[in-house]
Amino acid sequence: MKIKDLRVSKTKLVDYLGDVEPAWSPGRTVKSTIGGTEFTEIELENGDIGIGPGCDKSILSSAKEYLVGKNPVDVIDHFKYLIYQCRNIPYNGLAGIDIALWDLKGKIENKSISSILGRKKDYLIPYSSFVILSEPDERAEMAKSIQKEGWKVIKVRLHHNEADKDIETIEKIVEKTSGEIEILVDANQAQSSYPWQPGVIWNFDRAKKMNEAMSDLGCYWLEEPRPRYNYKELSELVAMNKTKIAGGENNPVVADFYQMIENNSYDVLQPESMVLGGITPLIEIGELSLKYNKEIVPHHGGGDIGVVAHMHLLSSWENAPFCEMLNDPPLSSYKNKFYIFNETLDVIDGKIKVPNTPGLGVTIKEDLIIRE
């Protein structure tokens, strides 16, 4: 069973919904669409195809030169070579190839990825990860609406210029939901590798204040309250023993997570396959989290194929309480991203079922695929 071809294909643009300004990227809008995305295909000599997120064509060219003619099942060995040989690009890099190889491995072995990794859970608890920054009353109304749909957990962005307004937002959500929904909060202070980024920048005093306040309000975690390499101050926030401190989505190499562990910088590790180059490095980080008694909840995975790949990982980890899903309807509903799949992936009564058919367990609608 050998690899015949690697390519980047597209899905047809089904609908353009509008522009969204993410809270973590003030002043910059992104297009909200159904379809219109790229994905990676790896085809075998027998015609079987594995799929992954999009991949930059320069990376695809190098990977193709190496992979064509090889057996796809040696995924970990392939990753080791490619991460050495290729220049990985966050959100458009080796993750597309690595995940497509895992999809093929599962199809060849007639097992889901989660079964190969040691499936322990059939259902996950997703959290509705809000996207935009809005007034406290509007966020409270959205939280109530999400709660009525059956979601049990939400994540709220804390990006107001004034800390008191961030606190007011969570207070109003608690009041509106009668304190019956789990709340995660995200400061998004680790977007840049340098200690500066657009929008509000927290200093250490604000981070400590918010750690205290979110703990008093019963929030489960406080995400990225300081820059990604400020391990010392992050460890001091952990040592306060207030809100759990979470982070790691923007850290691009596995070695960073060993540093986080050594410095006790986080209670919850949040690796992102789209940044690290696939789910292969997340397997190692998962083992690390278990060894050092940390929780692990990967970042959102890009919204479609990457999310499904993360679901398989999460089902194999007992120390993974939640699954992140970007969901801020109507423009940023998780269903918009999942529309491209033949299979139905729905959040029902606050849970989502992990696919258990070979590989990823999802396929892209053939009438949406555009191949060059």
Side-chain angles (χ1 to χ4, degrees):
M1 198 71 68
K2 294 183 179 179
I3 294 171
K4 173 186 175 183
D5 190 28
L6 282 76
R7 58 180 173 264
V8 173
S9 299
K10 298 178 180 179
T11 58
K12 293 178 183 176
L13 177 63
V14 177
D15 197 6
Y16 165 68
L17 303 173
D19 290 345
V20 175
E21 182 180 331
W24 57 86
S25 187
R28 185 177 69 89
T29 59
V30 295
K31 296 185 184 302
S32 177
T33 66
I34 297 175
T37 56
E38 292 188 341
F39 65 99
T40 302
E41 292 186 295
I42 301 181
E43 185 175 356
L44 301 183
E45 291 174 337
N46 68 354
D48 286 349
I49 293 174
I51 60 171
C55 177
D56 185 88
K57 290 186 178 180
S58 65
I59 294 175
L60 188 79
S61 177
S62 297
K64 186 173 182 177
E65 185 177 340
Y66 164 72
L67 284 171
V68 168
K70 290 187 170 60
N71 189 321
V73 300
D74 303 319
V75 185
I76 294 175
D77 287 340
H78 295 326
F79 174 81
K80 289 176 182 176
Y81 178 85
L82 290 170
I83 199 70
Y84 170 78
Q85 184 68 21
C86 301
R87 179 177 60 91
N88 187 36
I89 301 173
Y91 292 96
N92 196 27
L94 286 173
I97 295 166
D98 182 75
I99 291 171
L101 287 172
W102 277 104
D103 189 30
L104 279 173
K105 180 179 175 69
K107 289 171 178 174
I108 291 168
E109 298 181 4
N110 198 32
K111 296 178 180 178
S112 65
I113 295 173
S114 58
S115 295
I116 294 172
L117 297 177
R119 187 181 180 105
K120 297 179 178 65
K121 296 177 282 191
D122 292 327
Y123 289 88
L124 305 174
I125 300 173
Y127 63 84
S128 180
S129 186
F130 294 166
V131 174
I132 66 170
L133 181 68
S134 190
E135 293 301 304
D137 286 327
E138 189 280 335
R139 289 291 84 179
E141 289 293 339
M142 176 59 74
K144 184 63 178 179
S145 174
I146 291 294
Q147 184 183 36
K148 287 180 179 178
E149 292 178 12
W151 294 76
K152 308 298 183 187
V153 191
I154 61 172
K155 185 166 82 174
V156 184
R157 310 290 169 171
L158 300 185
H159 291 271
H160 290 100
N161 289 330
E162 309 85 10
D164 288 348
K165 198 166 185 179
D166 284 336
I167 294 170
E168 179 190 356
T169 299
I170 304 306
E171 288 174 337
K172 290 196 171 182
I173 289 173
V174 171
E175 180 182 2
K176 196 73 177 180
T177 60
S178 302
E180 295 176 355
I181 197 166
E182 192 79 74
I183 301 173
L184 320 174
V185 293
D186 192 349
N188 285 121
Q189 294 296 299
Q191 295 299 108
S192 172
S193 59
Y194 188 77
W196 182 90
Q197 61 187 49
V200 63
I201 296 178
W202 290 17
N203 59 25
F204 190 42
D205 285 341
R206 179 162 177 173
K208 288 189 289 185
K209 175 182 178 179
M210 298 304 287
N211 192 11
E212 293 268 8
M214 295 303 107
S215 177
D216 291 343
L217 288 166
C219 295
Y220 189 88
W221 79 43
L222 170 59
E223 186 173 333
E224 294 189 332
R226 294 295 287 143
R228 74 180 80 156
Y229 295 117
N230 196 334
Y231 298 129
K232 180 180 182 296
E233 289 186 0
L234 288 165
S235 68
E236 290 182 39
L237 294 172
V238 169
M240 290 173 66
N241 200 28
K242 294 293 182 178
T243 324
K244 291 181 181 180
I245 305 299
E249 70 187 60
N250 292 298
N251 290 77
V253 293
V254 173
D256 288 351
F257 290 83
Y258 283 87
Q259 283 285 93
M260 294 171 196
I261 294 293
E262 182 178 338
N263 289 278
N264 197 29
S265 298
Y266 292 118
D267 300 293
V268 185
L269 304 181
Q270 295 180 294
E272 167 59 78
S273 66
M274 302 288 285
V275 171
L276 286 154
I279 61 173
T280 295
L282 269 64
I283 295 170
E284 181 177 351
I285 295 169
E287 293 170 351
L288 189 67
S289 71
L290 194 61
K291 180 178 179 180
Y292 290 96
N293 197 31
K294 300 291 184 182
E295 291 182 342
I296 182 167
V297 179
H299 188 239
H300 64 66
D304 43 47
I305 299 172
V307 174
V308 179
H310 283 177
M311 289 171 66
H312 285 277
L313 283 167
L314 286 159
S315 74
S316 72
W317 293 331
E318 293 178 327
N319 57 331
F322 308 122
C323 172
E324 180 167 27
M325 298 181 70
L326 288 179
N327 185 58
D328 199 346
L331 294 186
S332 300
S333 168
Y334 78 96
K335 294 182 180 181
N336 298 341
K337 293 287 190 179
F338 285 174
Y339 179 86
I340 64 172
F341 299 135
N342 289 300
E343 297 75 15
T344 300
L345 297 173
D346 282 336
V347 177
I348 301 173
D349 295 328
K351 296 186 293 184
I352 190 165
K353 185 174 176 59
V354 182
N356 200 26
T357 50
L360 286 165
V362 294
T363 53
I364 296 175
K365 296 172 181 174
E366 192 64 34
D367 63 339
L368 293 183
I369 297 176
I370 303 170
R371 294 188 176 96
E372 295 181 356

